[in-house]
Short mmCIF file of all heavy atoms in Angstrom, two decimals:
data_model
loop_
_atom_site.label_atom_id
_atom_site.label_comp_id
_atom_site.label_asym_id
_atom_site.label_seq_id
_atom_site.Cartn_x
_atom_site.Cartn_y
_atom_site.Cartn_z
N LEU A 700 58.45 62.23 138.94
CA LEU A 700 59.73 62.57 139.54
C LEU A 700 59.65 63.76 140.39
O LEU A 700 60.50 64.06 141.22
CB LEU A 700 60.79 62.76 138.41
CG LEU A 700 61.16 61.54 137.58
CD1 LEU A 700 62.12 61.93 136.49
CD2 LEU A 700 61.79 60.47 138.50
N PHE A 701 58.50 64.52 140.31
CA PHE A 701 58.32 65.68 141.15
C PHE A 701 57.81 65.32 142.52
O PHE A 701 57.85 66.22 143.41
CB PHE A 701 57.38 66.71 140.42
CG PHE A 701 57.86 67.31 139.15
CD1 PHE A 701 57.24 67.05 137.96
CD2 PHE A 701 59.01 68.05 139.18
CE1 PHE A 701 57.70 67.57 136.80
CE2 PHE A 701 59.52 68.61 137.96
CZ PHE A 701 58.85 68.33 136.77
N ASP A 702 57.33 64.13 142.68
CA ASP A 702 56.82 63.71 143.99
C ASP A 702 57.94 63.55 145.01
O ASP A 702 59.01 63.08 144.56
CB ASP A 702 55.99 62.43 143.87
CG ASP A 702 54.70 62.61 143.08
OD1 ASP A 702 54.38 63.77 142.72
OD2 ASP A 702 54.07 61.64 142.76
N SER A 703 57.67 63.93 146.25
CA SER A 703 58.76 63.86 147.24
C SER A 703 58.33 62.98 148.39
O SER A 703 57.30 63.11 149.01
CB SER A 703 59.01 65.30 147.78
OG SER A 703 59.99 65.27 148.81
N PHE A 704 59.23 61.97 148.66
CA PHE A 704 58.94 61.00 149.73
C PHE A 704 60.16 60.73 150.65
O PHE A 704 61.32 60.82 150.12
CB PHE A 704 58.60 59.58 149.14
CG PHE A 704 57.35 59.58 148.32
CD1 PHE A 704 57.33 59.47 146.90
CD2 PHE A 704 56.09 59.62 148.91
CE1 PHE A 704 56.21 59.43 146.20
CE2 PHE A 704 54.91 59.53 148.17
CZ PHE A 704 54.95 59.44 146.79
N ASP A 705 59.87 60.50 151.89
CA ASP A 705 60.88 59.91 152.81
C ASP A 705 60.46 58.42 152.95
O ASP A 705 59.30 58.14 153.20
CB ASP A 705 60.87 60.57 154.17
CG ASP A 705 61.53 61.95 154.14
OD1 ASP A 705 62.26 62.24 153.20
OD2 ASP A 705 61.21 62.72 155.07
N TRP A 706 61.39 57.52 152.81
CA TRP A 706 61.08 56.09 152.94
C TRP A 706 61.65 55.62 154.26
O TRP A 706 62.85 55.62 154.43
CB TRP A 706 61.60 55.27 151.77
CG TRP A 706 61.02 53.90 151.74
CD1 TRP A 706 60.05 53.33 152.52
CD2 TRP A 706 61.35 52.84 150.79
NE1 TRP A 706 59.79 52.05 152.18
CE2 TRP A 706 60.56 51.77 151.10
CE3 TRP A 706 62.20 52.79 149.72
CZ2 TRP A 706 60.59 50.58 150.36
CZ3 TRP A 706 62.30 51.61 149.01
CH2 TRP A 706 61.47 50.48 149.32
N CYS A 707 60.81 55.26 155.18
CA CYS A 707 61.21 54.90 156.52
C CYS A 707 60.94 53.39 156.87
O CYS A 707 61.26 53.00 157.99
CB CYS A 707 60.50 55.76 157.53
SG CYS A 707 60.87 57.54 157.36
N GLY A 708 60.42 52.70 155.97
CA GLY A 708 59.99 51.33 156.26
C GLY A 708 60.92 50.25 155.68
O GLY A 708 61.95 50.56 155.05
N ILE A 709 60.60 49.00 155.97
CA ILE A 709 61.33 47.78 155.50
C ILE A 709 62.64 47.64 156.26
O ILE A 709 62.94 46.60 156.87
CB ILE A 709 61.53 47.70 154.01
CG1 ILE A 709 60.19 48.04 153.30
CG2 ILE A 709 62.04 46.37 153.60
CD1 ILE A 709 59.05 47.20 153.69
N THR A 710 63.53 48.64 156.20
CA THR A 710 64.72 48.62 156.94
C THR A 710 64.60 49.66 158.10
O THR A 710 63.55 50.29 158.29
CB THR A 710 65.98 49.04 156.09
OG1 THR A 710 65.81 50.41 155.71
CG2 THR A 710 66.02 48.13 154.86
N THR A 711 65.64 49.85 158.87
CA THR A 711 65.59 50.83 159.97
C THR A 711 65.98 52.21 159.55
O THR A 711 66.01 53.14 160.36
CB THR A 711 66.54 50.39 161.13
OG1 THR A 711 67.88 50.26 160.63
CG2 THR A 711 66.12 49.04 161.69
N GLN A 712 66.30 52.36 158.29
CA GLN A 712 66.73 53.65 157.78
C GLN A 712 65.50 54.54 157.34
O GLN A 712 64.58 54.04 156.77
CB GLN A 712 67.69 53.52 156.63
CG GLN A 712 69.00 52.86 157.00
CD GLN A 712 69.91 52.65 155.80
OE1 GLN A 712 69.40 52.32 154.69
NE2 GLN A 712 71.18 52.80 155.94
N CYS A 713 65.62 55.82 157.62
CA CYS A 713 64.56 56.79 157.18
C CYS A 713 65.26 57.88 156.40
O CYS A 713 65.89 58.75 156.95
CB CYS A 713 63.85 57.36 158.36
SG CYS A 713 62.35 58.31 157.97
N GLU A 714 65.13 57.80 155.11
CA GLU A 714 65.86 58.69 154.22
C GLU A 714 65.03 59.15 153.04
O GLU A 714 64.08 58.43 152.62
CB GLU A 714 67.12 57.96 153.65
CG GLU A 714 68.14 57.54 154.68
CD GLU A 714 69.29 56.82 154.09
OE1 GLU A 714 69.18 56.35 152.92
OE2 GLU A 714 70.32 56.71 154.77
N PRO A 715 65.27 60.35 152.49
CA PRO A 715 64.54 60.81 151.30
C PRO A 715 64.83 59.87 150.09
O PRO A 715 65.95 59.45 149.94
CB PRO A 715 65.13 62.23 151.06
CG PRO A 715 65.81 62.60 152.37
CD PRO A 715 66.26 61.32 152.98
N MET A 716 63.83 59.72 149.29
CA MET A 716 63.99 59.00 148.05
C MET A 716 64.69 59.99 147.05
O MET A 716 64.15 61.01 146.72
CB MET A 716 62.75 58.57 147.43
CG MET A 716 62.16 57.28 148.08
SD MET A 716 60.66 56.62 147.22
CE MET A 716 61.46 56.10 145.66
N LYS A 717 65.89 59.62 146.61
CA LYS A 717 66.65 60.54 145.76
C LYS A 717 66.41 60.23 144.28
O LYS A 717 66.49 61.09 143.47
CB LYS A 717 68.11 60.36 146.09
CG LYS A 717 68.48 60.84 147.52
CD LYS A 717 69.95 60.65 147.80
CE LYS A 717 70.27 61.12 149.18
NZ LYS A 717 71.72 60.89 149.51
N GLY A 718 66.10 58.98 143.96
CA GLY A 718 65.86 58.59 142.60
C GLY A 718 64.36 58.31 142.35
O GLY A 718 63.54 58.37 143.25
N GLY A 719 64.04 57.91 141.14
CA GLY A 719 62.68 57.57 140.77
C GLY A 719 62.29 56.20 141.29
O GLY A 719 61.13 55.99 141.60
N THR A 720 63.23 55.31 141.48
CA THR A 720 62.96 53.96 141.91
C THR A 720 64.01 53.52 142.94
O THR A 720 65.19 53.70 142.76
CB THR A 720 62.98 52.90 140.74
OG1 THR A 720 62.04 53.33 139.78
CG2 THR A 720 62.64 51.53 141.22
N GLU A 721 63.57 52.96 144.05
CA GLU A 721 64.47 52.42 145.10
C GLU A 721 63.96 51.06 145.57
O GLU A 721 62.73 50.76 145.55
CB GLU A 721 64.58 53.37 146.22
CG GLU A 721 65.28 54.69 145.90
CD GLU A 721 65.59 55.53 147.08
OE1 GLU A 721 65.44 55.07 148.24
OE2 GLU A 721 65.95 56.72 146.90
N THR A 722 64.88 50.25 146.02
CA THR A 722 64.56 48.88 146.53
C THR A 722 65.15 48.62 147.89
O THR A 722 66.30 49.07 148.12
CB THR A 722 65.11 47.80 145.53
OG1 THR A 722 64.43 47.96 144.26
CG2 THR A 722 64.81 46.41 146.06
N ARG A 723 64.42 48.01 148.78
CA ARG A 723 64.89 47.65 150.09
C ARG A 723 64.53 46.17 150.34
O ARG A 723 63.57 45.63 149.82
CB ARG A 723 64.21 48.51 151.15
CG ARG A 723 64.68 49.94 151.11
CD ARG A 723 64.17 50.79 152.30
NE ARG A 723 64.77 52.08 152.33
CZ ARG A 723 64.61 52.94 153.36
NH1 ARG A 723 63.89 52.57 154.44
NH2 ARG A 723 65.21 54.12 153.33
#
Side-chain angles (χ1 to χ4, degrees):
L700 293 177
F701 295 117
D702 294 351
S703 177
F704 295 106
D705 287 340
W706 195 2
C707 299
I709 312 305
T710 68
T711 58
Q712 296 176 321
C713 190
E714 297 178 344
M716 284 189 66
K717 297 178 181 179
T720 303
E721 292 188 11
T722 299
R723 292 187 171 189

